[in-house]
């Protein structure tokens, strides 16, 4: 369950920001997560709940996720396509020689505090 | 109040991965990351290969990753190579910070290659860069010939695939043709090595590849 590692990383970033100011309440955290990381949304929420449990500032805070689509590039013909159904072969030339161009990001975009 | 952050969460892992890669590159040490399901035969591959590689003069160290116990490290220690066991508790993969910490425990001046046996899992370890020169997928005949299609990511990232337990092929419905077709549909330049740790079949070719 690598969601816990991901949430731990997000939480570290959020805590650093919370500690940097006089904030009493965390309301929302906007994150951008690459689709290719294969994160299960329900697990993410569960881990978020667990990790924020001991910090009164974060009670009832919400993790808002924006998924970054996975974009694949064919090394042979340079065609690009959005990754669906785990297809790695190029829909244009048929060759299986691709690299993942986008979809592995994990960013904390902004946080909302009081 | 909204605060703009735009911070890369995976950066912490990637910084450690880069540090490990730079450290080992400076010392001319290769780092391999073995990834496969529990029971695929990763430790057995090491038990077979390490003595053969030692005979070639290659000095090896091993990092073992498991949720619990030092059983694998004990198996490797018998082969008289430096080995460190990492227990992840319920963690499903090794991360670059763990690997970076362990590296300081090895006599790096006396090592040519470090092999990481990742936590048994075909999914999560693939997503975490450890600073390795390459990821190697280990999969067994008894897992079925359709596994590359069902868990494709590791087979896209690993150029080298070791198929273990090939002595069991006659007793299963495993089709080497179907397996190869599945691999090639994900990555056409895949290097497939067939291996039986019981009979030793295929070990010689694998030694040559490791020796490269």
């Amino acid at each position: 369950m690598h969601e816990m590692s991901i949430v731990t990383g997000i939480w570290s970033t959020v805590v650093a920001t919370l500690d940097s100011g006089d904030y009493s309440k965390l309301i929302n955290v906007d994150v951008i997560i690459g689709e290719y990381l294969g994160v299960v949304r329900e697990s993410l929420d569960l881990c978020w709940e667990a990790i924020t449990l001991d910090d009164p500032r974060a009670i009832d805070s919400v993790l808002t996720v924006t998924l970054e689509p996975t974009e694949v590039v064919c090394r042979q013909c340079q065609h690009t396509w959005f990754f669906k159904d785990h297809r790695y072969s190029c829909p244009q030339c048929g060759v299986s020689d691709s690299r993942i161009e986008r979809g592995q990001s994990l960013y904390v975009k902004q946080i909302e505090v009081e | 109040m909204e605060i703009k952050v735009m911070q890369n969460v995976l950066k912490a892992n990637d910084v450690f991965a880069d540090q490990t890669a730079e450290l080992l590159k400076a010392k001319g040490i290769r780092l391999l990351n073995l990834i496969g399901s529990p029971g695929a035969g990763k430790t057995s591959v090491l038990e077979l290969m390490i003595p053969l590689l030692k005979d070639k003069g290659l000095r090896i160290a091993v990092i073992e990753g498991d949720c619990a116990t030092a059983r694998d490290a004990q198996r490797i220690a018998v082969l008289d190579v430096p080995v460190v066991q990492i227990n992840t508790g319920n963690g499903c993969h090794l991360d670059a910070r763990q690997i970076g910490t362990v590296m300081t425990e090895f006599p790096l001046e006396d090592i040519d290659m470090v092999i990481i046996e990742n936590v048994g899992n075909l999914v999560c370890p693939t997503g975490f860069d450890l600073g390795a020169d390459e990821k190697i997928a280990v999969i067994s005949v008894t897992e079925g010939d359709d596994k590359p299609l069902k868990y494709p990511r590791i087979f896209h990232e690993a150029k080298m695939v070791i198929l273990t337990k090939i002595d069991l092929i006659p007793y299963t419905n495993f089709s080497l043709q179907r397996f190869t077709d599945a691999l090639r549909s994900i990555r056409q330049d895949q290097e497939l090595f067939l291996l039986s740790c019981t009979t030793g079949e295929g070990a010689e070719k694998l030694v040559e590849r490791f020796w490269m």
Side-chain angles (χ1 to χ4, degrees), chain A residues 96 106 108-111 113, chain B residues 1 3-6 9 188:
Chain A
S96 305
L106 182 55
V108 176
K109 190 179 166 193
Q110 64 179 21
I111 69 172
V113 292
Chain B
M1 181 173 67
I3 305 170
K4 301 280 180 206
V5 182
M6 277 316 278
V9 174
Q188 64 170 9

Side-chain angles (χ1 to χ4, degrees), chain B residues 73-193:
Chain B
Q74 286 161 358
R75 283 168 65 179
I76 298 302
V78 171
L79 306 173
D80 199 24
V81 293
V83 57
V84 172
Q85 177 81 51
I86 299 174
N87 285 146
T88 59
N90 287 323
C92 50
H93 60 271
L94 295 175
D95 64 41
R97 183 192 295 260
Q98 293 165 327
I99 298 301
T101 306
V102 164
M103 279 309 164
T104 61
E105 295 184 29
F106 286 137
L108 293 179
E109 303 304 326
D110 303 320
I111 289 171
D112 301 309
M113 179 187 282
V114 178
I115 306 176
I116 300 165
E117 184 188 333
N118 218 310
V119 177
N121 185 329
L122 262 187
V123 184
C124 308
T126 314
F128 291 83
D129 184 11
L130 302 181
D133 293 294
E134 63 177 320
K135 291 172 183 161
I136 298 173
V138 180
I139 179 167
S140 60
V141 162
T142 47
E143 289 169 68
D145 52 36
D146 61 352
K147 278 296 171 295
L149 297 176
K150 292 162 76 174
Y151 299 87
R153 185 172 174 184
I154 177 60
F155 299 100
H156 186 251
E157 294 196 16
K159 188 178 182 187
M160 182 178 175
V161 176
I162 302 172
L163 177 67
T164 61
K165 310 184 190 180
I166 56 164
D167 50 304
L168 297 180
I169 290 180
Y171 310 104
T172 67
N173 60 359
F174 186 94
S175 159
L176 194 54
Q177 186 61 55
R178 279 199 299 267
F179 182 71
T180 309
D181 289 346
L183 285 179
R184 301 281 183 262
S185 75
I186 297 163
R187 184 170 174 158
Q188 64 170 9
D189 64 344
Q190 210 108 49
E191 296 174 54
L192 174 61
F193 291 85

